[in-house]
Amino acid sequence: MVKRVRLKVPVYVRKFIEGEYGCDDRGVVKVDKKSELGWLIHAISRSIPYNYTYPEVKKGENLLTIQYTTYEKVYDVPPDKLDSLARQLDEMFRSALINEVRGKHELIGGDYGPYVTCFLERYGIDIDNDVNWQSMRKIYRDYLESISKKRQKIFAG
């Protein structure tokens, strides 16, 4: 059975997921159960034998529509897990950004700002409208600080 889930996510997360998994002309991301996002949806889904309603979505809100398949009619993503799923998609974006920028930064060195810009451009994320560029740099900068603190603890011990 084909099912859909609609999530309120930031623009940059929507564009990232659409770039990673592809989307059709209606903006629907179709995920396979064997993909990372498919496994995540399957993990949080549960059997719900009664009717329920999803929260209303207002016009103008940034939505991500994910289409997935399941074999059971009553097996679905519960409404109380939608926020957790949206937060996890944001974490997937952050880890992808960190991994790519880290690889280039460790290999080439120098300022990591252009590597962040390259990552954002690949997914069509507009630096001026969709996201604050300094906050994207901060994601990697915070990662570098946490690694530095861990190394200090290791060598101080």
Side-chain angles (χ1 to χ4, degrees):
M1 168 169 266
V2 176
K3 296 193 176 193
R4 289 185 181 175
V5 62
R6 297 173 75 190
L7 304 169
K8 291 184 251 183
V9 294
V11 177
Y12 61 91
V13 173
R14 180 180 54 81
K15 288 185 175 184
F16 169 73
I17 296 297
E18 287 174 353
E20 279 290 304
Y21 294 96
C23 67
D24 61 11
D25 53 348
R26 295 175 300 161
V28 177
V29 176
K30 297 177 182 176
V31 295
D32 185 20
K33 186 177 177 181
K34 294 181 181 178
S35 66
E36 181 181 10
L37 185 52
W39 282 113
L40 180 62
I41 289 173
H42 180 72
I44 65 171
S45 296
R46 65 177 182 231
S47 181
I48 305 173
Y50 51 86
N51 291 336
Y52 59 90
T53 58
Y54 283 104
E56 285 295 318
V57 178
K58 299 173 188 168
K59 266 198 162 171
E61 288 183 327
N62 194 36
L63 292 176
L64 173 66
T65 305
I66 301 172
Q67 181 175 312
Y68 62 99
T69 57
T70 182
Y71 294 109
E72 296 181 42
K73 185 175 183 178
V74 296
Y75 203 70
D76 207 354
V77 176
D80 59 331
K81 295 293 184 182
L82 293 178
D83 290 336
S84 298
L85 181 58
R87 280 194 305 274
Q88 185 59 36
L89 294 179
D90 188 51
E91 286 300 316
M92 287 170 63
F93 169 81
R94 289 172 179 269
S95 66
L97 174 72
I98 288 169
N99 288 335
E100 180 170 327
V101 173
R102 178 181 168 208
K104 290 179 179 178
H105 190 229
E106 288 181 357
L107 182 66
I108 301 169
D111 182 30
Y112 54 86
Y115 311 139
V116 173
T117 304
C118 180
F119 176 82
L120 296 174
E121 287 175 351
R122 179 170 335 103
Y123 292 105
I125 300 170
D126 186 20
I127 296 171
D128 297 327
N129 298 325
D130 298 338
V131 71
N132 182 354
W133 187 72
Q134 291 297 334
S135 64
M136 294 295 110
R137 279 181 52 105
K138 187 176 182 328
I139 292 172
Y140 186 68
R141 188 172 58 242
D142 290 348
Y143 167 76
L144 290 176
E145 288 176 9
S146 70
I147 293 299
S148 175
K149 287 179 184 177
K150 286 179 185 178
R151 288 182 180 156
Q152 286 176 353
K153 287 180 183 178
I154 290 172
F155 292 126

